[in-house]
Amino acid sequence: MLKAELLKTIGPTKLIAYVRAKGWVKADNTYPAASIWIYKDPDGGEHEILLPLEQNYDDYALRVGDLLTTISQVERRSLDSIVTDFANSTADIIRIKAFSRHSAKEKIPLEDGVRLTEQARDLILAAANSVIAPKAYHQVRRSSQVDQYLKGAEMGQTEKGSFIFTIVITVPPALALTELDEATELEEPFERKVNKRLFQALDACRSASAEALLSSDIKPFEKAVPLGVSANLCEALAGLNESCGGEGLDLSMSWSLGRRSPVAIPCHIRFNSDAIPLIREAARVFKETSPREEFELDGFVMRLSKEKTSEEATIHAVVDGRSTKILTKLSSDDRQKALQAYDKQIPIRGTGELVRRGNVYHLENLRGFSLHRT
Amino acid sequence: MRKWVARNLERGVRPNLRKEQFSHAWVRAIASVAGFSVSQPSVDDDSIDIAFAENSLGGTHRAPRIEAQLKCTSEAVVKNDSMQFQLKIKNYNDLRSDAVMVPRILIVIRVPENLDESLRQSHDELVLKYCGHWLSLRGFAPSENDTGVTVQVPLMNKFDVRILQNMMRSVAESGKIIC
């Protein structure tokens, strides 16, 4: 049963914006305080709603309830999710639906829930970083704009009908519903840019996985990097799938009613379980082959060239949880420190860009090289 | 099983609920023969129990709709060709409102004192007793009462198949109940 008090807060402007965006068409009628809208579905069926225009009418809440019930039936979505969309009408709402052995009970294990939250955060973070600069692998440091975006993202109520996780991101409403070209991103707030980029990236990732299945090649994923695909996004998707039972994922977007809805961007993406291993592999390859910025070197000097003029050193350190050798070039000052560290087996530290060439790691632009005396 | 039924009848388990269910069944029977769908509101509004609808009767009001509050009573007082019925003041004010997009009426179904006698069935017929009567309170004057108002439901306002069809046609053409 819907609460009348909540329905009274949904104004006619929001109702009109929503039905118009969904393809309902206004019909002629002579209701003084309401209008009739018609929707023809692809099967040829026709649906009708009475849209109330006067909030001060005593049956306004009942009319809104009828309208939402019909929309729920037409869109084959739960009434809860329709009401959530309207209650959060100034927000873009991302829904992540898990196909899981637990979904019949609308519950998942607590541990999975914790991971799900982290991976959902990583997913939108990947999209946000991609708006700043599309890369195959985003490193840890992020901009203040991305920080602000993440702080504004909220976890919404889970919804019935399988385990549905929602992320609510408030988007500033447009000052006027103008006819400005949607592609003119200067007019769009950062939040909307990120949300668009996320679904562009998800769509591109899905297409890339389908192509890669046939070609056994990373190239489809590489081509999708400018659209927002990255190791971070791929890892988050693979992680979400695993947290939710490993049977596939369904992601959808309900755009805020306060801004024009993007037309060219799909708002419903499904990943079947057989696409996930490819996506996970793309993440691994991207991480392996992308330079890692601000890599913190922490290890021991294994080898120094015997030539006094040589700048090269081999450091023994841990990368992704595995012991490995890293080659790096040293300045003359750093070489002196390295000699000391090598002689006395003192651990060293430094920062640089870690690049993998073949089976060998190289640390470039080494800076802050120092001995770590405990 | 017999002992269970007898025990529950003796207790008079939830008689008001039985009356409420009977009134819904009664009205649905009328609506189904008249050719209209019936639904219950999805909103927690305690003045409306049921809605009748048709998918387009033509006219200028597509898909006409009427809403109703249902009451069931075995204690109706009949006076001067009217049935007197006590309404809560909130329901009275909700039903008399002019500011509604969908017309609404009161339907009062009179039943025997012993609800077991309200239904008789044979191979040839099903009889539901006794009768339902309707009243539109639209435009009624406000009341100074705090708790309830007694309304007069004319006995000539029988709620039957023909009247429901006439009401819906009237709403389709004018948006109002004119009968």
Side-chain angles (χ1 to χ4, degrees), chain B residues 72-127:
Chain B
C72 189
T73 180
S74 57
E75 298 165 351
V77 173
V78 176
K79 199 174 175 182
N80 298 331
D81 293 331
S82 291
M83 179 171 49
Q84 296 186 328
F85 189 80
Q86 177 89 357
L87 272 178
K88 287 183 195 171
I89 191 69
K90 181 190 178 303
N91 293 156
Y92 175 77
N93 286 328
D94 287 345
L95 288 171
R96 73 177 189 85
S97 171
D98 261 338
V100 290
M101 287 163 257
V102 171
R104 41 179 62 173
I105 58 174
L106 169 69
I107 301 174
V108 181
I109 296 159
R110 197 165 56 84
V111 296
E113 200 174 314
N114 182 352
L115 200 57
D116 294 339
E117 293 170 12
S118 60
L119 187 149
R120 191 180 71 235
Q121 186 181 10
S122 69
H123 287 290
D124 299 316
E125 62 181 6
L126 174 72
V127 176

Side-chain angles (χ1 to χ4, degrees), chain B residues 1-10:
Chain B
M1 178 68 178
R2 280 186 191 171
K3 282 183 184 172
W4 182 86
V5 169
R7 196 160 54 235
N8 281 307
L9 285 175
E10 282 170 11

Side-chain angles (χ1 to χ4, degrees), chain B residues 9-30:
Chain B
L9 285 175
E10 282 170 11
R11 286 178 192 164
V13 172
R14 300 162 83 187
N16 286 337
L17 180 59
R18 291 177 72 197
K19 282 183 184 174
E20 182 186 327
Q21 288 178 338
F22 181 81
S23 63
H24 275 268
W26 195 92
V27 157
R28 281 175 182 268
I30 299 287

Side-chain angles (χ1 to χ4, degrees), chain A residues 117-129 140 142-155 167-170 190-191 194-195:
Chain A
T117 309
E118 289 171 344
Q119 282 141 9
R121 175 208 55 203
D122 291 345
L123 189 77
I124 63 173
L125 183 56
N129 279 323
V140 174
R142 57 191 191 220
S143 71
S144 59
Q145 243 185 334
V146 171
D147 275 340
Q148 276 302 112
Y149 171 82
L150 209 58
K151 280 180 188 166
E154 296 174 295
M155 201 163 80
I167 305 172
V168 179
I169 298 151
T170 300
F190 186 72
E191 293 85 353
V194 173
N195 298 340

